[in-house]
Amino acid sequence: MTSLGGQFSARRPGDSPFTIRTEVLGGPESRGVLRKMSDLLELMVKRMDTLTRLENSSGLHPEAREAHAAADRMPPGAGLMERIQAIAQNVSDIAVKVDQILRHSLLLHSKVSEGRRDQCEAPSDPKFPDCAGKVEWMRARWTSDPCYAFFGVDGTECSFLIYLSEVEWFCPLLPWRNQSATRTAPRPLPRVQAVFRSNLSHLLELMGSGKESLIFMKKRTKRLTAQWATAAQRLAQKLGDIRRDQKQILVHIGFLTEESGDVFSPRVLKGGPLGEMVQWADILAALYILGHSLRVTVSLKELQSNLGVPPGRGSCPLTMPLPFDLIYTDYHGLQQMKQHMGLSFKKYRCRIRVIDTFGTEPAYNHEEYATLHGYRTNWGYWNLNPKQFMTMFPHTPDNSFMGFVSEELNETEKQLIKGGKASNMAVVYGKEASIWKGKEKFLGILSKYMEIHGTVYYESQRPPEVPAFVKNHGLLPQPEFQQLLRKAKLFIGFGFPYEGPAPLEAIANGCVFLQSRFSPPRSSLNHEFFRGKPTSREVFSQHPYAENFIGKPHVWTVDYNNSEEFEAAIKAIMETQVEPYLPYEYTCGGMLERIHAYIQHQDFCAAPSPAPAGAGASGSPFVLAPNATHLEWARNASAVPGAWPPPHSLRAWLAAAGRACTDACLDRGLVCEPSFFPILNSQEAFVQLQVPCDSTEWEMHHLYPALAQPGQECYLQKEPLLFSCAGSSSKYQRLCPCRDFLKGQVALCQGCL
């Protein structure tokens, strides 16, 4: 024992065959195993050295002498030390061999990496002009977002190029990568046919809970279930055997997320604006009843999970192909998706539909044009097809009219309402006390003829803005508010809120709606409420749709600054008898038709259709009408595959100078149709209209195509995203495409369903 202990103790711990080799091992697992073996053997050596020193000392402790005696009693043939020495030698041999293997492996890896590094230089490929610049950016910024490391970027040139070619698409695929695996996309699931639904219980589960907004929306959906079911049956009969593929649809209500402030939920119970929630509830119901597969999110975390957003700050594309055919969201949700989808946002934005209360005109939507010409606001510049914005009312045909639903009365209910009307009862439009401020003069005149009722929110004290002679019911649930409207003769607005659903509900319940005329008209140029909104639309009254599409006797628009005109209107309304009225486009059936047509026909991801074959000698597909005032689609012109609306509904006029196409078409009982602009955007159209052009220029301008005044200079549109029905200038006569529309359904032409 003494000699063996001496042999081990003669070495420094760092010189042992175990520890020497473990220091140079490159594999963490091998290093760990050998380190444990080394530690065990070293511990045994130390204990043996201790016993040896005790044996050589003159005074042994009793316990030590007992241990020594026990060791002496061990059979001399046990060979314990020999076994330990053999193990030590084996460990040393293993360490040497592992060291040799790892050194060889590292050398081979170095050579391979060096060879690949030659292949990992940014290529000069004209098909990928941005590759070198993107690699340079990655070198400097790849640590700026953890999502790059998530996709395997580690700071090497190869990792940059692999990412830029396989995750993004700025560089060509590396030749030594498994290209088949990279390019293989998952097979799309087989299409399922959409089937109309009438039971909405599952939809109510999808909508979730916990927010006052969602509670309000679910109550509304429950209340309208029977009307939705009846409308679905009628549409199913109308469509017959038309096949409708079930779409995978994500509905992300951005304004309800905590990140956007969830500004509406806390105000639902305090009389805040409910128009947005009314519309969203009806959109969800319509999509579900049409038979589509829905996913509903009201939080950013849910959105990220459903989209497949990689961990990080949103710089990288999605981890998977987008599983949704369509995404319905709002401006808040649009911003959230852009922040978290990376390049996938640009790739998939054609599938997005933006619920946009006031509308977004093309001049504000095109980022470059808006920036150069002063149209940039906080809400525009998304470079979407303007039809992807879906509005509450048909403000401008540049956007798609989504709408909402008002409750439809049956004949029995209408008769009951007529019999229960109080001829001298008025309800004021406005649940917030601020709306009543400064309206004492109008209210005083009205109170001479009618009993005035209000539904202004208050907690403990009556709002001082509401005069004492007004009977204030406080904030009422929707069914009770409708009962109030069914008794009232008049529903009166004082200029705000703009363009909400309440006036339509009042008219549908047999009220006359009285509103103020604005002079001058209000717009983003002169009024704080509209400032910053992506539209130059001029608003001539509190509710332009009610004024223009319904009108008298249901809607009266007067100058509230003229007391005599205001009082005369009150007297006339008291003598007027009206039936409950609801435009078809605001019924469940009208909304189902409209959304079905949009889903079935609107495809903003498809490539533009080829130009139609002409019918006349000039090669134009349209001809001059017999009265020589406008162009019509030629009967023998070939159809445009997939075009919607169908071009045969096209009628085109050269508008008067200073007249917008929206107004020029309405003057003729038609609506402007922006999808027809590409067909008209040619010199042949001016020739067909017998307009001699001294010169023809292609430029980027939201009023083109147009004829300049004075002179005979013709201008054609260079940027398709800027085709716009809205906008006018005294300098131009605009070339305007118009179409017909279904009665009570302005969004659809007669052959559009």
Side-chain angles (χ1 to χ4, degrees), residues 299-311:
S299 76
L300 185 57
K301 185 176 180 181
E302 291 175 319
L303 174 68
Q304 292 172 324
S305 175
N306 281 286
L307 293 179
V309 174

PDB file of all heavy atoms in Angstrom, residues 299-311:
ATOM      1  N   SER A 299     -57.271  39.160 -28.281  1.00  0.00           N
ATOM      2  CA  SER A 299     -56.026  39.449 -27.564  1.00  0.00           C
ATOM      3  C   SER A 299     -54.852  39.230 -28.505  1.00  0.00           C
ATOM      4  O   SER A 299     -54.930  38.420 -29.446  1.00  0.00           O
ATOM      5  CB  SER A 299     -55.873  38.549 -26.328  1.00  0.00           C
ATOM      6  OG  SER A 299     -55.479  37.238 -26.693  1.00  0.00           O
ATOM      7  N   LEU A 300     -53.761  39.935 -28.242  1.00  0.00           N
ATOM      8  CA  LEU A 300     -52.578  39.820 -29.083  1.00  0.00           C
ATOM      9  C   LEU A 300     -51.962  38.434 -28.969  1.00  0.00           C
ATOM     10  O   LEU A 300     -51.475  37.876 -29.955  1.00  0.00           O
ATOM     11  CB  LEU A 300     -51.561  40.898 -28.690  1.00  0.00           C
ATOM     12  CG  LEU A 300     -50.312  40.998 -29.559  1.00  0.00           C
ATOM     13  CD1 LEU A 300     -50.669  41.221 -31.016  1.00  0.00           C
ATOM     14  CD2 LEU A 300     -49.415  42.124 -29.060  1.00  0.00           C
ATOM     15  N   LYS A 301     -51.993  37.857 -27.780  1.00  0.00           N
ATOM     16  CA  LYS A 301     -51.425  36.523 -27.580  1.00  0.00           C
ATOM     17  C   LYS A 301     -52.169  35.488 -28.418  1.00  0.00           C
ATOM     18  O   LYS A 301     -51.554  34.624 -29.050  1.00  0.00           O
ATOM     19  CB  LYS A 301     -51.493  36.150 -26.095  1.00  0.00           C
ATOM     20  CG  LYS A 301     -50.814  34.838 -25.757  1.00  0.00           C
ATOM     21  CD  LYS A 301     -50.831  34.588 -24.248  1.00  0.00           C
ATOM     22  CE  LYS A 301     -50.136  33.270 -23.915  1.00  0.00           C
ATOM     23  NZ  LYS A 301     -50.170  33.002 -22.448  1.00  0.00           N
ATOM     24  N   GLU A 302     -53.500  35.582 -28.459  1.00  0.00           N
ATOM     25  CA  GLU A 302     -54.284  34.658 -29.282  1.00  0.00           C
ATOM     26  C   GLU A 302     -53.969  34.859 -30.761  1.00  0.00           C
ATOM     27  O   GLU A 302     -53.869  33.891 -31.519  1.00  0.00           O
ATOM     28  CB  GLU A 302     -55.776  34.897 -29.037  1.00  0.00           C
ATOM     29  CG  GLU A 302     -56.280  34.488 -27.676  1.00  0.00           C
ATOM     30  CD  GLU A 302     -57.740  34.865 -27.482  1.00  0.00           C
ATOM     31  OE1 GLU A 302     -58.132  35.976 -27.908  1.00  0.00           O
ATOM     32  OE2 GLU A 302     -58.477  34.070 -26.892  1.00  0.00           O
ATOM     33  N   LEU A 303     -53.825  36.109 -31.170  1.00  0.00           N
ATOM     34  CA  LEU A 303     -53.504  36.398 -32.564  1.00  0.00           C
ATOM     35  C   LEU A 303     -52.176  35.763 -32.952  1.00  0.00           C
ATOM     36  O   LEU A 303     -52.063  35.102 -33.991  1.00  0.00           O
ATOM     37  CB  LEU A 303     -53.447  37.910 -32.784  1.00  0.00           C
ATOM     38  CG  LEU A 303     -52.986  38.368 -34.170  1.00  0.00           C
ATOM     39  CD1 LEU A 303     -54.012  37.999 -35.227  1.00  0.00           C
ATOM     40  CD2 LEU A 303     -52.716  39.870 -34.195  1.00  0.00           C
ATOM     41  N   GLN A 304     -51.150  35.951 -32.137  1.00  0.00           N
ATOM     42  CA  GLN A 304     -49.826  35.399 -32.430  1.00  0.00           C
ATOM     43  C   GLN A 304     -49.873  33.883 -32.525  1.00  0.00           C
ATOM     44  O   GLN A 304     -49.263  33.281 -33.406  1.00  0.00           O
ATOM     45  CB  GLN A 304     -48.834  35.829 -31.349  1.00  0.00           C
ATOM     46  CG  GLN A 304     -48.526  37.320 -31.362  1.00  0.00           C
ATOM     47  CD  GLN A 304     -47.696  37.750 -30.171  1.00  0.00           C
ATOM     48  OE1 GLN A 304     -47.858  37.239 -29.068  1.00  0.00           O
ATOM     49  NE2 GLN A 304     -46.799  38.695 -30.378  1.00  0.00           N
ATOM     50  N   SER A 305     -50.615  33.258 -31.619  1.00  0.00           N
ATOM     51  CA  SER A 305     -50.715  31.800 -31.624  1.00  0.00           C
ATOM     52  C   SER A 305     -51.398  31.297 -32.884  1.00  0.00           C
ATOM     53  O   SER A 305     -50.947  30.322 -33.500  1.00  0.00           O
ATOM     54  CB  SER A 305     -51.482  31.342 -30.379  1.00  0.00           C
ATOM     55  OG  SER A 305     -51.707  29.957 -30.405  1.00  0.00           O
ATOM     56  N   ASN A 306     -52.479  31.941 -33.300  1.00  0.00           N
ATOM     57  CA  ASN A 306     -53.223  31.490 -34.473  1.00  0.00           C
ATOM     58  C   ASN A 306     -52.472  31.724 -35.773  1.00  0.00           C
ATOM     59  O   ASN A 306     -52.628  30.971 -36.729  1.00  0.00           O
ATOM     60  CB  ASN A 306     -54.580  32.194 -34.526  1.00  0.00           C
ATOM     61  CG  ASN A 306     -55.599  31.577 -33.588  1.00  0.00           C
ATOM     62  OD1 ASN A 306     -56.116  30.497 -33.848  1.00  0.00           O
ATOM     63  ND2 ASN A 306     -55.873  32.246 -32.486  1.00  0.00           N
ATOM     64  N   LEU A 307     -51.647  32.765 -35.808  1.00  0.00           N
ATOM     65  CA  LEU A 307     -50.894  33.060 -37.032  1.00  0.00           C
ATOM     66  C   LEU A 307     -49.602  32.255 -37.125  1.00  0.00           C
ATOM     67  O   LEU A 307     -49.054  32.095 -38.217  1.00  0.00           O
ATOM     68  CB  LEU A 307     -50.554  34.554 -37.085  1.00  0.00           C
ATOM     69  CG  LEU A 307     -51.714  35.528 -37.252  1.00  0.00           C
ATOM     70  CD1 LEU A 307     -51.207  36.965 -37.249  1.00  0.00           C
ATOM     71  CD2 LEU A 307     -52.487  35.253 -38.535  1.00  0.00           C
ATOM     72  N   GLY A 308     -49.089  31.746 -35.994  1.00  0.00           N
ATOM     73  CA  GLY A 308     -47.790  31.073 -35.998  1.00  0.00           C
ATOM     74  C   GLY A 308     -46.642  32.060 -35.975  1.00  0.00           C
ATOM     75  O   GLY A 308     -45.660  31.909 -36.707  1.00  0.00           O
ATOM     76  N   VAL A 309     -46.758  33.082 -35.122  1.00  0.00           N
ATOM     77  CA  VAL A 309     -45.718  34.107 -35.016  1.00  0.00           C
ATOM     78  C   VAL A 309     -44.527  33.535 -34.243  1.00  0.00           C
ATOM     79  O   VAL A 309     -44.705  32.993 -33.156  1.00  0.00           O
ATOM     80  CB  VAL A 309     -46.264  35.363 -34.304  1.00  0.00           C
ATOM     81  CG1 VAL A 309     -45.159  36.374 -34.052  1.00  0.00           C
ATOM     82  CG2 VAL A 309     -47.381  35.986 -35.136  1.00  0.00           C
ATOM     83  N   PRO A 310     -43.292  33.623 -34.768  1.00  0.00           N
ATOM     84  CA  PRO A 310     -42.130  33.110 -34.037  1.00  0.00           C
ATOM     85  C   PRO A 310     -41.833  33.969 -32.820  1.00  0.00           C
ATOM     86  O   PRO A 310     -42.213  35.141 -32.774  1.00  0.00           O
ATOM     87  CB  PRO A 310     -40.994  33.201 -35.068  1.00  0.00           C
ATOM     88  CG  PRO A 310     -41.413  34.296 -35.984  1.00  0.00           C
ATOM     89  CD  PRO A 310     -42.914  34.227 -36.059  1.00  0.00           C
ATOM     90  N   PRO A 311     -41.157  33.394 -31.801  1.00  0.00           N
ATOM     91  CA  PRO A 311     -40.813  34.201 -30.625  1.00  0.00           C
ATOM     92  C   PRO A 311     -39.860  35.322 -31.002  1.00  0.00           C
ATOM     93  O   PRO A 311     -38.961  35.140 -31.811  1.00  0.00           O
ATOM     94  CB  PRO A 311     -40.146  33.186 -29.683  1.00  0.00           C
ATOM     95  CG  PRO A 311     -39.687  32.079 -30.572  1.00  0.00           C
ATOM     96  CD  PRO A 311     -40.656  32.009 -31.701  1.00  0.00           C
TER      97      PRO A 311
END
